Amino acid sequence: MVTTDRETAFALKGRDYLTIADFTTDELHLLLKQAADMKALTKKHIPHPYLSGKTLAMIFEKSSTRTRVSFEVGMYQLGGSALFLSSRDMQLGRGETIADTAKVLSRFVDGIMIRTFEHQKVVGLAEQASVPVINGLTDEHHPTQVLADLLTIYEHEGRLKGLKACFIGDGYNNMAHSLLEGAAAVGMDLTVASPEGYEPDQKIFKAAEARAEENGCHVAVTHSPQEAVEGCDIIITDTWLSMGDENEQEKRLHDFQGYQVNDTLVARAKPDYLFLHCLPAHRGEEVAASVIDGPHSIVFDEAENRLHAHKAILKCLLESN
Ligand code: CP
Ligand code: NVA
């Protein structure tokens, strides 16, 4: 069945944004198109108050630079406002339930963005809230980041379908999981190379594998970074030590030896490969400074695109008509 942009836009209204897998390929493409439109308006300084008078509550149980600033600035540019709520200062941090928090916030605001640990907490919040809930990162998923990543890749390559990408590093992390879901949805090959014991979640991988097959692409897992990078258009990595993993620092730095994205590794990719990293980066650990600060790196375009991607998500979910 062919759906029009109008029907797709209608289907997005009032929805939650919890994982990439929740969205059809048409919906993701519409979000990407809206993000490009938002970017054009922003660059031309054309006012676009689509969310005039609306408010977004932003709950943070983990640190953030990009996510916090881009959602806050995004709401402002859309004519609305955002509230930064640190869980340390909320009653949530003193044991108030997520259900009560969801019900109360829904009486005050038009949308809730949350960054937390267990993905299930966000699912619970979304079930109890009567306004859209946006996942600003959990241990398992980072779907707002991956929308920005897809936008960035599209801008530089002019396409997503048919590209060959790899993710080198911690496969059992939010970025690897959302990238698997994103690549499978848009028809991009993705190979995840991780040390033993750090492979992606099996359920997420299997679902992505099935969706990739439907969309004519392929997702795979290997222990060999060399194999994963071979002939790639896109190389992606992320920290070896995600938020919440701090007490495993010594073990992880040991286990991830050999998985650094450096000049020797990237020599196996296509000569015009692009490098992405959601940031914050640790030069000398998951990536060599020569790569992340080199000519193939598009990490700051990627960071900027958080703003435009988030504005697209906010507009599509929260706009009244
Ligand atoms: N990439 C990302 O989510 O950055 P922050 O942790 O700074 O929000
Ligand atoms: N995987 C990282 C992403 C940070 C934006 C983390 O969860 O800390």
Side-chain angles (χ1 to χ4, degrees):
M1 193 182 75
V2 179
T3 48
T4 63
D5 277 5
R6 208 183 151 87
E7 287 166 335
T8 309
F10 188 72
L12 288 170
K13 283 205 189 305
R15 289 261 293 278
D16 300 313
Y17 188 89
L18 304 190
T19 72
I20 294 278
D22 298 338
F23 295 91
T24 65
T25 302
D26 281 351
E27 287 166 350
L28 290 170
H29 280 300
L30 186 74
L31 284 165
L32 290 170
K33 190 169 170 289
Q34 291 273 341
D37 291 348
M38 292 292 163
K39 188 166 183 171
L41 291 170
T42 310
K43 296 285 183 196
K44 290 181 195 151
H45 304 286
I46 298 172
H48 42 287
Y50 295 112
L51 299 183
S52 176
K54 304 234 173 192
T55 307
L56 178 75
M58 309 191 299
I59 305 174
F60 282 92
E61 296 203 297
K62 288 176 173 172
S63 305
S64 171
T65 298
R66 281 144 288 266
T67 307
R68 175 187 174 178
V69 175
S70 54
F71 269 104
E72 196 162 331
V73 170
M75 276 306 286
Y76 176 77
Q77 291 180 352
L78 287 165
S81 57
L83 295 163
F84 172 73
L85 303 168
S86 161
S87 62
R88 261 180 317 204
D89 304 324
M90 294 176 74
Q91 297 293 7
L92 188 61
R94 296 181 57 248
E96 184 166 18
T97 66
I98 199 83
D100 287 357
T101 306
K103 287 174 189 160
V104 170
L105 288 179
S106 297
R107 301 284 180 115
F108 296 136
V109 300
D110 303 285
I112 305 170
M113 195 278 285
I114 178 166
R115 167 170 286 199
T116 189
F117 293 85
E118 313 83 33
H119 187 72
Q120 211 40 46
K121 200 172 202 176
V122 178
V123 173
L125 182 76
E127 277 167 7
Q128 298 296 329
S130 55
V131 295
V133 169
I134 300 169
N135 175 4
L137 179 146
T138 60
D139 292 343
E140 263 184 52
H141 296 274
H142 199 0
T144 61
Q145 176 72 56
V146 166
L147 191 69
D149 290 6
L150 294 176
L151 175 66
T152 314
I153 295 169
Y154 185 81
E155 284 176 345
H156 282 265
E157 296 279 1
R159 66 186 173 127
L160 293 170
K161 201 172 175 67
L163 292 174
K164 191 168 166 359
C166 65
F167 176 90
I168 312 295
D170 186 0
Y172 194 82
N173 98 345
N174 37 34
M175 279 307 297
H177 291 155
S178 291
L179 282 165
L180 279 166
E181 294 183 345
V186 300
M188 185 166 76
D189 286 348
L190 179 73
T191 301
V192 175
S194 316
E196 262 184 75
Y198 296 92
E199 298 87 356
D201 176 87
Q202 265 302 299
K203 211 168 143 211
I204 293 172
F205 179 74
K206 288 281 168 211
E209 198 176 35
R211 191 164 186 188
E213 198 174 328
E214 281 167 25
N215 287 328
C217 64
H218 187 65
V219 295
V221 175
T222 174
H223 296 131
S224 163
Q226 290 76 17
E227 183 189 317
V229 170
E230 199 65 49
C232 271
D233 302 287
I234 310 290
I235 303 175
I236 312 171
T237 189
D238 184 20
T239 181
W240 293 338
L241 210 69
S242 284
M243 291 178 277
D245 295 334
E246 290 79 5
N247 57 0
E248 294 177 17
Q249 181 166 4
E250 207 178 316
K251 177 174 167 26
R252 281 174 172 262
L253 289 181
H254 172 266
D255 292 349
F256 282 93
Q257 285 312 307
Y259 286 80
Q260 184 186 81
V261 178
N262 54 29
D263 292 319
T264 313
L265 189 65
V266 301
R268 294 171 172 268
K270 291 225 176 97
D272 58 350
Y273 81 90
L274 297 171
F275 174 77
L276 285 93
H277 188 313
C278 66
L279 306 177
H282 308 81
R283 290 166 175 79
E285 291 183 17
E286 74 272 10
V287 62
S290 54
V291 172
I292 192 167
D293 299 321
H296 298 268
S297 174
I298 51 171
V299 298
F300 297 110
D301 290 346
E302 181 186 6
E304 178 192 329
N305 280 341
R306 297 297 297 286
L307 173 66
H308 311 301
H310 296 175
K311 283 167 71 180
I313 295 168
L314 291 164
K315 177 181 185 292
C316 288
L317 269 46
L318 305 190
E319 201 182 19
S320 305
N321 46 45

